[in-house]
Amino acid sequence: MIYVVGSINVDLVMKTSRMPSQGETLTGERFFINQGGKGANQAVAVAKSGSKVAMIGAVGEDDFGREAIRSLIDFGVDTTYVCKVSGNTGIASIWLADQDNRILLDGGANLKVNETMIQKGLALAKPNDVVLLQLEIPLTIVLYTLKLAKEKQMMTCLNPAPMINLSQDILNLTDILCVNETEYESLVHQKLDIHMPIFIQTMGSQGVTVFHQKHQFHIDAHLVNVIDTTAAGDTFIGAFIARYEQSKDIQASTAYANAAAALCVTKYGAQQSIPTKQDVVTFMEVNHD
Ligand code: RIB
């Protein structure tokens, strides 16, 4: 079983031909609303890759919250441990331009995730179950979850996004760390020890490098038509964890996640752009992965 502890957002997305300059008003090309949030996206990626997953998090008592839960259920995520709290559901205002994105976040209900919610959510967790975290909920809760998960002999996985200053305590409780290039640079800048059992560095079009004990390998990125990079990182880590839980094969899981992330960027959106296991397997067969 995989437990994702993290954020649930509604993404308000505007596509534009270029990013507006300071003080400038620019007319966008297209507006749409997506179900997103790094935690929720990762839970959906796990579910679409065929593993059992429960989401632990919070939404507001508003229409956005109801929609967010509906989306998770539709994609096969167990929402028993998603709490409704006063205030608004997390909102991400996303600008898309130049094959990239900029995101402005209002944490809302995500900032109200607390220790009681984590205790209830992980009450039935067993040794070797997996807990997957990001950093869109309070850092104190991330640390609390990692400690509780380790007491329960669970496998812990952290995707430190969006990156903030971290303590070594957090990394010492992490079995699998997955970072992009910016997050990696920040960890180095913070002089943190990143020698955990599995360290994964994703590098967009440069592919992915994995360090495991004394071994290291690299997998090139797939050349695809990039439409929207939102949730590519979430797709990678969710797909990796699902496949790793099923196979315990790091290299095969990395190749699978690499293909899943490549497919994700060929579509607009967050949760709806995450491919299913069948999509990924077919893509890998066609690309002789
Ligand atoms: O990683 C992508 C996600 O980051 C978006 O869905 C948005 O909600 C932000 O949290």
Side-chain angles (χ1 to χ4, degrees):
M1 180 76 177
I2 297 171
Y3 295 86
V4 178
V5 176
S7 58
I8 303 167
N9 296 332
V10 172
D11 296 350
L12 307 180
V13 187
M14 189 79 87
K15 172 154 173 44
T16 112
S17 54
R18 61 174 174 81
M19 297 293 176
S21 310
Q22 191 167 0
E24 181 187 25
T25 300
L26 191 65
T27 302
E29 290 175 357
R30 186 176 166 191
F31 170 75
F32 44 94
I33 298 180
N34 288 324
Q35 301 306 323
K38 294 188 191 303
N41 294 344
Q42 293 180 16
V44 168
V46 171
K48 287 194 183 183
S49 283
S51 283
K52 278 193 163 180
V53 56
M55 178 83 214
I56 304 174
V59 295
E61 284 177 334
D62 51 13
D63 286 345
F64 279 160
R66 282 183 277 281
E67 282 301 311
I69 290 177
R70 167 62 41 214
S71 175
L72 287 168
I73 292 171
D74 286 350
F75 286 124
V77 177
D78 180 349
T79 60
T80 308
Y81 309 112
V82 175
C83 299
K84 287 188 183 150
V85 298
S86 60
N88 65 283
T89 297
I91 299 286
S93 171
I94 303 184
W95 292 353
L96 298 179
D98 309 325
Q99 296 196 334
D100 209 347
N101 64 29
R102 288 186 188 187
I103 302 181
L104 193 58
L105 207 58
D106 177 72
N110 297 309
L111 304 180
K112 294 189 175 173
V113 176
N114 61 35
E115 294 183 2
T116 309
M117 294 176 193
I118 305 300
Q119 284 161 15
K120 285 186 181 159
L122 293 184
L124 300 177
K126 298 188 294 298
N128 298 324
D129 281 351
V130 182
V131 68
L132 171 57
L133 295 125
Q134 325 71 35
L135 300 180
E136 286 184 336
I137 58 170
L139 196 57
T140 50
I141 299 301
V142 172
L143 181 58
Y144 177 81
T145 305
L146 287 167
K147 282 182 181 163
L148 187 62
K150 277 291 144 207
E151 277 169 24
K152 289 174 175 279
Q153 298 170 46
M154 297 174 75
M155 181 181 291
T156 57
C157 178
L158 176 66
N159 171 222
M163 181 53 97
I164 48 176
N165 281 344
L166 287 181
S167 67
Q168 189 63 49
D169 287 5
I170 287 193
L171 297 185
N172 291 347
L173 292 161
T174 300
D175 296 315
I176 303 175
L177 187 71
C178 181
V179 297
N180 66 18
E181 289 155 297
T182 325
E183 290 149 10
Y184 174 74
E185 278 167 23
S186 174
L187 291 175
V188 171
H189 183 71
Q190 292 180 54
K191 298 189 170 48
L192 291 163
D193 178 4
I194 45 177
H195 288 93
M196 50 267 314
I198 301 178
F199 180 81
I200 304 171
Q201 187 185 359
T202 60
M203 295 168 288
S205 60
Q206 302 302 306
V208 50
T209 301
V210 178
F211 301 84
H212 169 51
Q213 290 161 356
K214 292 199 164 64
H215 307 286
Q216 158 182 357
F217 64 88
H218 177 85
I219 297 182
D220 288 336
H222 291 278
L223 273 181
V224 291
N225 184 26
V226 179
I227 300 286
D228 179 0
T229 57
T230 309
D234 300 331
T235 299
F236 181 94
I237 190 63
F240 176 89
I241 288 298
R243 196 77 169 84
Y244 185 64
E245 189 215 27
Q246 293 157 19
S247 67
K248 295 286 179 289
D249 182 330
I250 298 176
Q251 193 140 355
S253 304
T254 305
Y256 175 87
N258 190 45
L263 277 173
C264 167
V265 302
T266 63
K267 289 187 180 159
Y268 281 111
Q271 290 171 24
Q272 78 266 28
S273 70
I274 298 170
T276 63
K277 187 173 188 174
Q278 188 54 56
D279 294 334
V280 180
V281 169
T282 305
F283 178 82
M284 291 177 80
E285 279 168 7
V286 171
N287 287 279
H288 308 293
D289 236 355

